[in-house]
Amino acid sequence: MFKWLDPYAKPETLYRICGLWFPWLMTLAVLTLLLSTVWGLGFTPADYQQGDSYRIIHIHVPAAIWSMGAYSSMAIAAFIALVWQIKVAQWAVGAIAPIGAVYTLIALLTGMAWGKPMWGTWWVWDARLTSELILLFLYLGVIALSGAFADRQLGAKASALLAVVGVVNLPIIHFSVEWWNTLHQGATITKFAKPSIDPSMLWPLLLGILGFALLLAALTCLRLRTAILLNEQHRPWVRALAQQSVHKGSVPQTNAGRGV
Amino acid sequence: MVMFKAAFVREWRLLARQKADWLNPLMFFVIVLTLFPLGVGAKPNLLAEIAPGIVWIAALLSVLLGAERLFKEDFRQGTLEQLVAARDPLFPYVLAKISSSWCSTALPLLLISPLIALLLGLSTAAWQAIVLSLLLGTPLLNLLAALGAALTLSADKGGILLALLILPLYIPLLIFASAAVDNATLGLDYSAQLAVLAAMLCLAAALVPLAVLKALRLNVG
C-alpha cells in the first residue's frame, strides 16, 4: 500500500492532483450546497414544534459534523507527518486548520442563532456548546503555534504535534463536559436505528453534509496547493511553473493590445 | 536512573539558589486567592460556594506562570542542545524536569492549603477534597505545562502562546477537580471524580513525556 501511496507524497505530483481535483470538487460543492439550502429552506415541511426556525439545521449540523471531521483529518495528517516524516502531510495540517476553525465558528454562530428562539438564550454552558467552543480554541492554538516561529518548517512540525495531542484530549474534553452539564438534544441521525427525523427533512440535510464535506475537500486542495508552492519556491519545478504562468499571462495581453 | 538522579539533584540546587522561581508562583497563588473575596464580596456562604473553582483556577494559573522558564535557561545556555545530541539522557532529563517542577510549584500549594481553607472558610471535608484533588491533578498540570513549554521553546512570543495552547487542555481537569471539591462541600462521595483524575494522570504520565521529548528535539533541531 505504501508503494502505491508513495508517489502522492511528492509535492509536485500532489500539486498537480490538487489542481486537477479542485475545479470538480468546488463545482460539486457549490451545486450540492445550493441544492440542499434551497431544498431545506424552501421545500421541506415546517417542524411541528419548532416551526420554521428549525431550518437552520441545514447549515448548523453539517458545519458541526465537519468541524470535527476536519479536526480528525488534520490530526491524521499530523500523525502521518510526525511518524513517517512526510512533508506534504505537515503542510496539510496548516491547510486544514483555518477551514476547520471557520466551520467551528459557523456551527457556534448558527447554534446561537438557533438557541435564541428555542431555548430563549444565545448561550448556555451546555456540554455540546462548551466542547465545540474548546474545539475552536484547539484550532486557534494550532494556527497560532504554526505562525509563532521564524522557521516555517519548525512551526508546521510543532503545530502537527499539538494537533495530535489535541486529538487525544478531544474525547476526554467531550465526555468531561458531557457529564458536567447537558441541555443540547441527542443526535438525531447518527443513531444506528431508524433516524428520528422525517425523511423529507433528512434528505436535504444529508445533501448539506455532503456539500460541506466537498467544500472542505475543495478548500483543502486549494490551500494545500498554495502551501506547496510557498514551501517549495526554491525548487526548479516551481520556478518553471512560475515562468510558464508569466508567459501565459503575457500572451493575451499583447493580443488585446494589438486588437486595439 | 543515574541520569535522572543527577538531573533531579541539579534542578534542586538551581531552585535553592533561585528562590524566586518557586516563591513567585506561590505568592501569585495567594494573591489571586485574595483578589476573589475583594472582587465578588466577602460573604462567607458565597466564598465557600465558589472556593473549589477559584482554588483550582489560581492553582493552574500559578503552575502556568512557572512553566515558561522550565526549559528556557537550558535552551539559552546550550545544555539542552548537548542533551539532545547525546540522545540517551534526554528522557530522564525530561522526567526530572517535570517532577522537580511539580515539587517546586505544586507542592508548596499543597502545603499552604490549610491556610487557604481558613481564608475561604472551607470545612475540613472540603479541605481534604482540595488536597486530594490537588495531589492527583497538579502533576497533570505540570506535565501539560512542560509540553507547552517544550513546544513554544524557540517561538517568538513564547509566554502568552504557552497559555493559549495549554489552557484548553486543562479544562477536563478543572471540571473533575472542582466537581470533587463541590461534592465534598455537600457531604457527598467524591471517589468517582478522584478516580477519573487518577486515570487522566496515568494516561498523561505515560504519553506526555514522549511528546515533550519530541517537541524538544524539534525545537533544538
Side-chain angles (χ1 to χ4, degrees):
Chain A
M1 194 186 85
F2 289 112
K3 218 169 193 175
W4 177 76
L5 276 176
D6 207 38
Y8 297 99
K10 199 179 162 207
E12 194 181 345
T13 324
L14 194 67
Y15 176 81
R16 288 187 207 294
I17 292 172
C18 284
L20 272 179
W21 283 11
F22 174 72
W24 293 99
L25 286 171
M26 200 63 198
T27 324
L28 276 173
V30 169
L31 284 178
T32 40
L33 281 177
L34 267 179
L35 187 62
S36 80
T37 318
V38 171
W39 188 358
L41 294 185
F43 298 96
T44 51
D47 188 70
Y48 79 103
Q49 256 182 339
Q50 306 193 357
D52 278 332
S53 58
Y54 91 95
R55 290 181 199 280
I56 203 165
I57 196 176
H58 297 294
I59 298 165
H60 175 69
V61 168
I65 287 179
W66 286 108
S67 67
M68 282 175 277
Y71 197 92
S72 23
S73 29
M74 182 176 84
I76 292 169
F79 187 76
I80 293 171
L82 287 175
V83 174
W84 290 285
Q85 306 282 329
I86 292 171
K87 271 192 196 158
V88 284
Q90 184 177 304
W91 301 333
V93 174
I96 300 173
I99 310 171
V102 171
Y103 271 32
T104 316
L105 203 60
I106 293 174
L108 280 171
L109 291 178
T110 53
M112 284 166 86
W114 195 3
K116 184 63 187 162
M118 288 306 114
W119 298 337
T121 167
W122 292 105
W123 185 264
V124 280
W125 287 98
D126 150 78
R128 291 258 188 126
L129 278 75
T130 314
S131 46
E132 191 75 6
L133 186 64
I134 299 166
L135 183 67
L136 180 65
F137 291 152
L138 289 177
Y139 272 124
L140 294 181
V142 171
I143 297 168
L145 189 63
S146 69
F149 295 90
D151 176 7
R152 208 185 301 120
Q153 299 299 331
L154 178 57
K157 276 181 194 161
S159 60
L161 190 56
L162 185 68
V164 172
V165 174
V167 86
V168 176
N169 207 53
L170 212 54
I172 302 179
I173 290 174
H174 179 78
F175 288 113
S176 68
V177 284
E178 193 118 301
W179 292 326
W180 172 59
N181 210 345
T182 288
L183 175 67
H184 197 288
Q185 61 175 3
T188 8
I189 53 167
T190 40
K191 286 177 198 156
F192 288 106
K194 194 169 168 278
S196 55
I197 180 172
D198 192 75
S200 63
M201 299 173 185
L202 178 65
W203 284 109
L205 183 57
L206 288 179
L207 210 60
I209 294 172
L210 180 68
F212 267 77
L214 287 168
L215 187 65
L216 174 66
L219 292 176
T220 307
C221 278
L222 187 65
R223 288 185 52 87
L224 189 56
R225 251 164 81 93
T226 41
I228 290 173
L229 281 188
L230 185 68
N231 285 290
E232 296 271 292
Q233 50 189 320
H234 54 281
R235 295 288 160 91
W237 72 268
V238 180
R239 294 219 171 137
L241 208 68
Q243 253 158 10
Q244 231 173 26
S245 66
V246 166
H247 286 308
K248 253 190 218 161
S250 64
V251 172
Q253 240 174 3
T254 46
N255 275 350
R258 255 178 234 154
V260 172
Chain B
M1 197 61 217
V2 179
M3 185 58 210
F4 175 80
K5 208 176 152 193
F8 196 73
V9 170
R10 172 175 173 267
E11 284 306 310
W12 275 96
R13 225 168 255 160
L14 287 175
L15 286 169
R17 284 173 196 167
Q18 298 178 332
K19 296 188 181 61
D21 277 351
W22 55 274
L23 269 176
N24 287 356
L26 185 64
M27 269 152 58
F28 177 79
F29 178 71
V30 177
I31 290 172
V32 168
L33 285 180
T34 344
L35 290 181
F36 273 96
L38 299 176
V40 299
K43 302 172 209 77
N45 286 340
L46 178 68
L47 278 183
E49 201 178 315
I50 60 171
I54 60 180
V55 168
W56 260 95
I57 289 173
L60 62 87
L61 288 180
S62 65
V63 167
L64 209 58
L65 191 70
E68 201 201 347
R69 50 130 238 130
L70 199 58
F71 298 110
K72 209 90 193 178
E73 201 50 43
D74 285 353
F75 180 62
R76 273 200 210 121
Q77 290 170 353
T79 315
L80 205 54
E81 207 172 335
Q82 294 304 318
L83 284 165
V84 169
R87 285 194 90 84
D88 278 348
L90 194 59
F91 193 61
Y93 164 80
V94 167
L95 292 182
K97 269 283 180 192
I98 295 170
S99 47
S100 66
S101 81
W102 181 77
C103 292
S104 66
T105 55
L107 203 55
L109 303 190
L110 278 169
L111 294 179
I112 61 157
S113 65
L115 188 67
I116 301 303
L118 277 179
L119 280 176
L120 296 173
L122 288 171
S123 61
T124 322
W127 168 69
Q128 274 174 348
I130 284 185
V131 169
L132 286 174
S133 68
L134 280 175
L135 205 57
L136 284 170
T138 43
L140 196 56
L141 291 181
N142 284 105
L143 279 162
L144 289 172
L147 178 63
L151 273 176
T152 56
L153 192 55
S154 63
D156 302 330
K157 293 152 268 195
I160 188 72
L161 188 63
L162 169 65
L164 287 182
L165 300 185
I166 296 305
L167 283 177
L169 303 183
Y170 279 167
I171 289 166
L173 183 60
L174 183 65
I175 288 172
F176 285 110
S178 49
V181 187
D182 262 339
N183 275 9
T185 33
L186 296 174
L188 300 171
D189 178 46
Y190 53 90
S191 53
Q193 281 84 356
L194 288 187
V196 174
L197 284 181
M200 290 199 291
L201 176 59
C202 291
L203 185 71
L207 297 177
V208 172
L210 297 174
V212 174
L213 209 62
K214 177 86 191 168
L216 284 180
R217 287 213 180 108
L218 280 181
N219 273 287
V220 176

